[in-house]
Amino acid sequence: MSNNRVFLRGNLTKDPEYKLIQDGKELVTFRIAVNESLGNGREESIFLDVDAWDSHARYAKNVSLTKGDRVVIDGRIRQREWVDKNGSNRTSYSILPSNTIQY
């Protein structure tokens, strides 16, 4: 059995983008920086995209997130594949909140 679940704590790298798309669905997209300690005082930042839909999007909008805010996300990783305008296969990953987003 496999499990696709992530628990992340990080800071927004810019203000979220709010969108109303087809069929009245709401989407909030943002990027977070998650820091990881590498030992000996060294740290590395990982940047992750987050796509919050519907109730999670409404919640994010209502709490007025801004660049620098700390967030905690419980969710899963989503993979997208597409062909770009040059005919190259592309892949991207984003985090989909599933249970909680705390700000």
Side-chain angles (χ1 to χ4, degrees), residues 8-77:
L8 302 165
R9 186 174 327 146
N11 294 81
L12 271 69
T13 62
K14 65 179 186 174
D15 291 345
E17 294 180 25
Y18 301 93
K19 301 173 187 174
L20 185 61
I21 54 177
Q22 63 191 24
D23 301 329
K25 291 184 182 250
E26 295 179 67
L27 172 64
V28 173
T29 59
F30 53 92
R31 179 171 273 208
I32 62 172
V34 177
N35 296 325
E36 180 179 2
S37 176
L38 300 175
N40 296 328
R42 295 180 338 177
E43 203 170 78
E44 178 179 86
S45 294
I46 300 168
F47 299 92
L48 301 160
D49 294 321
V50 179
D51 297 330
W53 291 90
D54 297 324
S55 64
H56 295 299
R58 285 188 292 279
Y59 180 73
K61 186 176 181 179
N62 288 337
V63 297
S64 300
L65 291 176
T66 59
K67 178 180 177 177
D69 284 348
R70 188 165 226 15
V71 295
V72 176
I73 299 170
D74 180 5
R76 63 185 177 88
I77 300 170

Side-chain angles (χ1 to χ4, degrees), residues 76-91:
R76 63 185 177 88
I77 300 170
R78 178 182 74 165
Q79 177 180 320
R80 268 190 20 184
E81 296 178 346
W82 72 97
V83 177
D84 69 14
K85 63 182 178 181
N86 298 321
S88 299
N89 292 328
R90 309 289 290 177
T91 302

